[in-house]
Amino acid sequence: MADPEGRAGTPHSLGYAHHRLRHHTEAIHYYQQSLALSRELGDQYNEATTLDRLGDTFHSADNHVDAHELWRRTGTILEDLACPAPRPV
């Protein structure tokens, strides 16, 4: 594929759309696809942003324990990359 980052971005966008529609199962499915592709590409920043959005979806689905764990992992990756966390973790 000419745009490997786009490969991970497409399911990320679909996950976001499903999250906003409150289709949590579908959102989780697409975010997990995006997460796997980001890891395959070694793209830690997009891995972190996907973990963050996945945490938002789990939180919206009332799974607060897993949401906070995903946000913690987001913060760890962004700290390693010397990027600011999107929220306090």
Side-chain angles (χ1 to χ4, degrees):
M1 174 177 266
D3 180 17
E5 288 81 18
R7 240 175 84 206
T10 299
H12 184 102
S13 295
L14 289 168
Y16 181 77
H18 280 287
H19 170 78
R20 299 294 296 167
L21 292 168
R22 304 175 70 72
H23 301 160
H24 300 124
T25 301
E26 292 87 349
I28 291 166
H29 168 77
Y30 284 113
Y31 281 140
Q32 288 174 335
Q33 280 185 349
S34 178
L35 190 58
L37 290 167
S38 292
R39 287 176 176 158
E40 181 182 312
L41 293 168
D43 187 340
Q44 290 184 303
Y45 183 78
N46 281 329
E47 177 182 350
T49 60
T50 302
L51 287 169
D52 185 57
R53 295 289 188 178
L54 189 55
D56 292 345
T57 302
F58 274 96
H59 192 267
S60 294
D62 293 324
N63 184 340
H64 300 255
V65 173
D66 286 341
H68 286 279
E69 174 58 21
L70 291 164
W71 291 332
R72 186 197 63 74
R73 289 170 49 198
T74 299
T76 299
I77 292 170
L78 292 177
E79 184 177 299
D80 290 346
L81 296 173
C83 293
R87 72 184 94 243
V89 285

